[in-house]
Amino acid sequence: MKVGIVGNGGIVHPAIVAMQKEGIAINALWCRSEERGMPVAKQYHIEKVYTDYAGFLADESFDTVYIALVNSAHFSYAKQAMLEGKHVIVEKPLVSSYAEARELSDIASEQNVFLFEAIMLRYSANYASIVKNLEKVGEISLILANYSQYSSRYDAYLEGKVLPAFDPKLSGGALYDINVYNVHFMTGLFGSPRSSLYMANIGFNGIDTSGVLLLDYGRFKAVCTGAKDSASTSGISIQGNLGTITIPDRPGFVHNVTFTDRKTGMQEMLDVVQDENPMQREFARIQEVIDTGDKRTMEIWMNHSLQTMAVLDQSRLDAGIVFGSDEEDDETKENIMASMFEELRNRNKN
């Protein structure tokens, strides 16, 4: 695949490095201003810089667009790119709502292009090894997932300065920025929950600065904690009657995955790779799927993104968090939310 970059934010830099380490050609960069785009292009030897998005998409030197803009811009920029025949990689969260995610998925199918959400754990070989070893814990009862990291933008927020990470108009907040990793961890392993409940700490402008998300899977429950207003040791534990699987890090970095036997206390390392760079692995897997035309794998991944988006959308609305993209009337929203979990459970059966 050959890539055009959209945006110049902080995540763009490690993404470009990871792609270039994989030998992925980056042929163009789009940025709202040439002044901001040129330093990035110069640093990474990207030949072409665009400020006109239509002109950028008309460039035939790349077939895949990597979108790293504020959350609220993901939908429109991804949609336009796919309608122009480009494959699309969108930084997490995929979009602002389940309805937007469903529309993008449909467009990808209609346009015969690939669509991916850049969520690192999905592409991790160690994450895949958890699936193969889940039976070791026996009957699962509880899953605890915590990702809490004090935001570098939170002090400004406390002073009344609202940056994108805490702006509901731009689809910010702890659920979509931090807890999304925990939700992806869950849907990737178990699909859609029966129900969810989000208990959030709400800031002065209506955005969640931290919160606890409860997921009911019937036979077991999951607690997903995400914070941008405080910090603690992050990690995940999957508890069963035979033992526990633990990951002592935030969900994006799946390393040192350990199974502990309840009866003997013996520990077994479940990692299949030791030196995995999660972002580099992410782009390597995406390139492999595109280059081989593996639509089936893309559809499986997109189904998990849809399931994740359903949980996020339902949870934030339950908590009263309103985004700038919420333009539907109340009846339309109610119909979408009522049907979405049922639809996703049907997807799980297929």
Side-chain angles (χ1 to χ4, degrees):
M1 73 181 178
K2 298 178 181 178
V3 176
I5 303 290
V6 177
N8 69 319
I11 193 65
V12 166
H13 295 269
I16 290 175
V17 171
M19 289 185 209
Q20 291 182 336
K21 283 184 177 180
E22 282 300 313
I24 296 171
I26 301 174
N27 294 337
L29 169 73
W30 176 89
C31 191
R32 286 188 174 86
S33 72
E34 188 172 349
E35 181 181 2
R36 292 185 176 183
M38 286 303 296
V40 178
K42 184 177 181 180
Q43 181 177 355
Y44 298 107
H45 309 289
I46 301 171
E47 291 186 3
K48 290 174 280 188
V49 176
Y50 292 88
T51 57
D52 173 58
Y53 195 52
F56 169 81
L57 293 177
D59 189 331
E60 296 182 355
S61 69
F62 60 91
D63 53 43
T64 303
V65 173
Y66 168 72
I67 297 173
L69 300 171
V70 294
N71 296 345
S72 59
H74 290 182
F75 173 73
S76 60
Y77 278 78
K79 179 178 179 178
Q80 190 173 344
M82 289 193 294
L83 290 175
E84 292 299 323
K86 302 290 190 183
H87 307 307
V88 171
I89 305 167
V90 186
E91 266 302 330
K92 64 80 190 167
L94 182 65
V95 284
S96 301
S97 69
Y98 174 77
E100 288 181 349
R102 187 170 58 187
E103 183 173 346
L104 287 190
S105 180
D106 290 343
I107 291 172
S109 179
E110 293 163 2
Q111 295 294 117
N112 194 31
V113 295
F114 285 85
L115 172 63
F116 305 92
E117 182 177 8
I119 185 81
M120 292 185 296
L121 71 86
R122 166 179 294 165
Y123 309 99
S124 166
N126 290 335
Y127 180 66
S129 77
I130 296 173
V131 178
K132 299 176 183 178
N133 286 281
L134 271 176
E135 62 181 20
K136 292 180 184 292
V137 305
E139 185 177 342
I140 298 172
S141 56
L142 291 174
I143 299 179
L144 308 176
N146 176 43
Y147 179 14
S148 297
Q149 178 176 289
Y150 193 89
S151 172
S152 61
R153 299 164 179 83
Y154 188 59
D155 287 343
Y157 180 79
L158 291 177
E159 295 173 358
K161 184 179 180 181
V162 179
L163 297 171
F166 291 99
D167 192 341
K169 294 180 180 178
L170 301 180
S171 307
L175 179 64
Y176 274 57
D177 187 46
I178 291 284
N179 226 342
V180 59
Y181 287 99
N182 295 324
V183 179
H184 263 290
F185 183 90
M186 295 299 302
T187 61
L189 292 179
F190 306 107
S192 297
R194 291 183 176 182
S195 62
S196 65
L197 173 65
Y198 186 46
M199 296 176 289
N201 293 315
I202 303 296
F204 67 85
N205 64 338
I207 201 63
D208 56 322
T209 60
S210 59
V212 177
L213 174 62
L214 305 179
L215 303 178
D216 183 359
Y217 278 90
R219 68 185 188 279
F220 66 89
K221 318 303 176 191
V223 180
C224 300
T225 303
K228 294 171 69 67
D229 57 9
S230 55
S232 67
T233 302
S234 298
I236 296 173
S237 65
I238 304 173
Q239 302 171 203
N241 64 325
L242 299 182
T244 304
I245 290 175
T246 56
I247 302 129
D249 207 336
R250 65 186 180 93
F253 295 87
V254 187
H255 298 294
N256 300 317
V257 183
T258 304
F259 168 69
T260 303
D261 187 280
R262 179 183 62 81
K263 291 183 178 180
T264 67
M266 295 292 291
Q267 293 189 332
E268 176 188 356
M269 186 69 67
L270 302 181
D271 286 10
V272 294
V273 291
Q274 299 298 323
D275 302 323
E276 190 172 42
N277 178 321
M279 189 168 275
Q280 191 172 332
R281 165 76 178 185
E282 176 179 64
F283 292 116
R285 284 291 289 127
I286 288 173
Q287 177 175 233
E288 179 185 356
V289 168
I290 290 177
D291 289 350
T292 59
D294 185 359
K295 284 290 182 66
R296 177 56 181 161
T297 294
M298 183 208 72
E299 289 168 357
I300 292 172
W301 289 341
M302 186 48 52
N303 184 39
H304 291 157
S305 288
L306 286 167
Q307 292 168 334
T308 297
M309 206 68 247
V311 172
L312 296 179
D313 208 10
Q314 178 70 68
S315 299
R316 71 170 177 92
L317 293 177
D318 282 346
I321 301 166
V322 179
F323 285 167
S325 59
D326 296 337
E327 298 177 351
E328 302 91 351
D329 59 46
D330 290 340
E331 183 178 356
T332 300
K333 285 182 184 178
E334 184 177 345
N335 290 337
I336 289 173
M337 303 312 294
S339 65
M340 120 176 119
F341 278 108
E342 181 179 355
E343 177 181 336
L344 290 174
R345 288 192 198 100
N346 291 334
R347 285 176 180 265
N348 285 343
K349 297 175 183 178
N350 297 330

